[in-house]
């Protein structure tokens, strides 16, 4: 039996090290899709400064493609498609981006991305494919094709529950992927409860991260200004309420842990960093998807709703700034009636 | 009987034209306090390009002081103290700033400033002084001591109700001031219901203005992103609810009028302009004072509460940016417990 074919989409700081780990492990053929760095890396390969794998120059996986279309047109049937791009469904839907490389009933999708309930659109579009979850705790950045990994690649693998498969089969598939990815340098493990873990992350990301992004202050100043206690903490209580209605019981002291998690640092959460760089924010997967679930479960989330709706304006401006659309010079007529 | 002594504090775009109008009118002796432009104007006077008064060079009122202390130390008893500074009680309280020039039981205070319920701290501190309200609709800016007035000085004068005076006496005092200020160039009139008028302004300022300041988009983009309808309009309903509980009935179509008031323009409301310039915002007088009244009247304002508490973080950063305080290099320990 031949080793599995893997395609990884998104060679940022996280994705490149994931690919690097699988290549190092020699249990799969690894192809990658790299968009902005393609011309450079097809010639020279990557330079990778890694706490896990040392200083690599001219590193290359088995195949490099400039687009998913090209990767699909190669004729390879992929056993795994790993997606490590940012997840911005309001800009481009990852389940559509990956489509040319996904064989229905065959390819296992692995989403190593931030956010909540990421499997839903994949399972809807590919009901007979497994969909795995990876939550990465790596510290790694891509500066113009040079990867600088400063923290160990630690990743928790689980599955987004697809009712067309048994839990046992999905767990086995997740563990199979851990086997392919895990090596003596990285720290990859199977985690049984993806929902619990992603809710736990939301207690920070849907509340403190969003509030900092909106107000443009770090978490230390958010505390000192009183806004953390007045807005973020009530928002955290709402996340816990949604989780509970969804059958997930978070630890009793979770709010206290989350508030104290940045103690000692004037820490800028990821969404604030994106806003400051002018990057579109992962609003939909971090907050939008949570609110979809809240509505389905009839849980009221007044604070989170407002944060989401305010950040829609922030996102509008970020997307406009990146040229994703343009507004006309003359402001369009508003024919609405408001009461 | 000699003509009244007037001191005007704050020679920005609005204040200088107010002073100019009263000087032009010749019914009072006019002193002004000017801080940042003092050295220049004590020598050269002001240059004023005014749609009302023409192009004036070397314009000076009767007296120019660098501080209120100096104006008070002159020995003059002021019949009126007009305050035309920005109103930032969380930075410096106007009732304290003006104190050296206010004679209890004698000086009438005139607040030509944005915001809501501005009279309260003055009436508490000077219970035996009249406190008048001016709502200005002028277009006028100060660029380094050169005043550029592009829109007619239109001002509505009323009084902040002081229970120690009869309504008739307060109305008479307001009309006396209109008489001193009004001339053949400007458009100054007595408006009987200050509360109604200032609530009406809040339907825009506490909602659309605040939301734009927070999200950093103009009112056109706020509409297009959906945030206006999802956040600002519900906030407007809360302002109307507070007004109603306070005995003020706003027009039935007020929300529709306010939403459409910027039609045709990618308009940046004043608070957004302040945020972009790094100026502290008039958060307390535009939104904070409204919430104080809402609490007194037991009206719930969940949307306005969140906007206010989010803008506290924005204001924190603006004040820090202006050097009004500094945070320590090391983030202070947080000993709080959160649940």
């Amino acid at each position: 039996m031949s080793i599995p074919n893997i395609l990884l989409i998104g060679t940022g700081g996280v994705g490149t090290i994931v690919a690097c780990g699988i290549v190092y492990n020699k249990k799969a053929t690894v192809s990658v899709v790299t968009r902005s760095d393609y011309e450079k890396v097809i010639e020279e390969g990557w330079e990778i400064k890694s706490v896990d794998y040392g200083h690599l120059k001219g590193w290359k996986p088995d195949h490099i493609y400039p687009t998913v279309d090209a990767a699909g047109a190669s004729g390879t049937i992929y056993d795994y498609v790993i997606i490590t791009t940012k997840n911005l469904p309001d800009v481009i839907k990852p389940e559509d981006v990956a489509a040319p490389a996904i064989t229905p009933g065959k390819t296992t999708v692995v989403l190593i991305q931030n956010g909540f309930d990421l499997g839903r659109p994949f399972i809807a579009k590919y009901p007979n494919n497994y969909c795995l979850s990876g939550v990465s705790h790596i510290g790694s950045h891509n500066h113009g094709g040079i990867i600088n990994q400063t923290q160990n690649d630690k990743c928790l693998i689980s599955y987004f529950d697809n009712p067309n498969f048994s839990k046992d089969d999905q767990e086995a598939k997740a563990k199979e992927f851990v086997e392919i990815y895990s090596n003596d340098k990285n720290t990859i493990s199977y985690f049984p409860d993806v929902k619990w873990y992603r809710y736990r992350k939301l207690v920070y990301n849907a509340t403190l991260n969003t509030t900092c992004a909106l107000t443009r202050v770090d978490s230390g100043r958010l505390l000192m200004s009183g806004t953390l206690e007045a807005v973020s903490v009530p928002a955290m209580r709402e996340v816990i309420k949604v989780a509970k209605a969804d059958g997930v019981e978070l630890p009793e002291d979770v709010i206290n842990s989350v508030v104290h998690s940045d103690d000692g640092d004037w820490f800028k959460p990821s969404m604030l960093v994106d806003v400051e760089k002018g990057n579109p924010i992962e609003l939909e997967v971090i907050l939008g998807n949570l609110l979809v679930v809240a509505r389905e479960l009839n849980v009221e989330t007044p604070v989170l709703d407002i944060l989401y709706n305010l950040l829609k304006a922030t996102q509008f401006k970020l997307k406009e700034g990146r040229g994703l659309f343009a507004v006309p010079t003359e402001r369009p007529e508003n024919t609405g009636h408001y009461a």
Side-chain angles (χ1 to χ4, degrees), chain A:
Chain A
M1 197 185 120
S2 65
I3 60 174
N5 287 311
I6 293 183
L7 178 70
L8 180 138
I9 303 172
T11 54
V14 177
T16 309
I17 299 299
V18 173
C20 198
I22 300 173
V23 167
Y24 174 89
N25 216 13
K26 295 198 177 73
K27 293 178 183 169
T29 303
V30 179
S31 306
V32 305
V33 174
T34 188
R35 217 180 36 177
S36 50
D37 298 327
Y38 181 74
E39 296 298 334
K40 184 180 176 191
V41 298
I42 198 75
E43 292 286 330
E44 309 168 18
W46 273 266
E47 180 174 355
I48 299 176
K49 299 170 184 169
S50 163
V51 289
D52 290 340
Y53 307 106
H55 192 163
L56 312 176
K57 285 182 186 175
W59 178 87
K60 284 187 185 181
D62 300 297
H63 304 282
I64 304 175
Y65 298 105
T67 62
V68 183
D69 276 330
S74 70
T76 309
I77 305 294
Y78 296 102
D79 299 286
Y80 291 89
V81 166
I82 305 171
I83 306 181
T84 47
T85 57
K86 277 184 76 172
N87 196 325
L88 299 167
D90 53 329
V91 174
I92 187 163
K93 293 184 192 307
E95 66 274 21
D96 296 338
V97 172
I102 294 176
T103 305
K106 168 75 178 166
T107 308
T108 294
V109 174
V110 187
L111 304 174
I112 303 183
Q113 299 180 301
N114 274 327
F116 179 75
D117 204 18
L118 305 180
R120 185 188 293 225
F122 280 91
I123 292 167
K125 185 163 178 146
Y126 310 106
N128 300 312
N129 295 47
Y130 292 100
C131 187
L132 304 184
S133 156
V135 176
S136 177
H137 291 262
I138 199 173
S140 182
H141 297 275
N142 179 5
H143 301 283
I146 300 172
I147 306 295
N148 196 14
Q149 183 205 352
T150 53
Q151 283 171 20
N152 176 238
D153 183 11
K154 186 168 170 237
C155 193
L156 298 174
I157 302 295
S158 186
Y159 61 86
F160 291 110
D161 193 18
N162 180 339
N164 300 313
F165 296 110
S166 74
K167 291 194 185 300
D168 284 352
D169 285 352
Q170 295 181 93
E171 180 173 335
K173 181 54 80 176
K175 287 179 172 172
E176 178 188 287
F177 180 71
V178 169
E179 189 58 30
I180 293 167
Y181 177 14
S182 176
N183 59 43
D184 61 325
K185 306 291 188 187
N186 61 22
T187 314
I188 315 305
S189 51
Y190 174 73
F191 190 85
D193 195 345
V194 64
K195 232 162 81 170
W196 184 93
Y197 201 78
R198 289 195 180 255
Y199 267 118
R200 175 64 183 74
K201 284 198 81 173
L202 280 189
V203 181
Y204 186 99
N205 277 331
T207 65
L208 224 153
N209 202 352
T210 51
T211 314
C212 287
L214 196 55
T215 59
R216 318 280 174 105
V217 301
D218 58 60
S219 57
R221 287 169 173 85
L222 197 75
L223 172 73
M224 288 179 77
S225 63
T227 302
L228 192 151
E229 195 150 4
V231 179
S232 309
V233 168
M236 290 177 198
R237 292 191 200 110
E238 294 181 357
V239 175
I240 293 167
K241 210 168 53 168
V242 180
K244 193 164 193 158
D246 202 7
V248 171
E249 200 71 47
L250 293 169
E252 206 168 310
D253 67 337
V254 63
I255 290 179
N256 195 52
S257 305
V258 165
V259 170
H260 284 288
S261 60
D262 298 338
D263 274 5
D265 286 326
W266 301 107
F267 183 75
K268 290 187 176 182
S270 59
M271 209 183 259
L272 170 61
V273 173
D274 276 332
V275 169
E276 289 186 343
K277 286 185 179 168
N279 291 332
I281 51 177
E282 295 187 306
L283 175 62
E284 293 305 326
V285 296
I286 285 178
L287 191 43
N289 286 357
L290 174 67
L291 298 183
V292 169
V293 171
R295 291 304 86 82
E296 289 170 354
L297 299 172
N298 291 314
V299 179
E300 287 188 9
T301 53
V303 180
L304 292 170
D305 291 352
I306 293 176
L307 290 175
Y308 174 75
N309 282 307
L310 289 167
L311 283 167
K312 292 261 274 189
T314 308
Q315 179 80 325
F316 183 93
K317 199 179 167 192
L318 291 167
K319 285 158 74 172
E320 186 189 1
R322 278 286 179 264
L324 294 168
F325 64 83
V327 302
T329 313
E330 194 114 335
R331 180 176 157 180
E333 198 189 347
N334 174 11
T335 55
H337 185 269
Y338 304 84

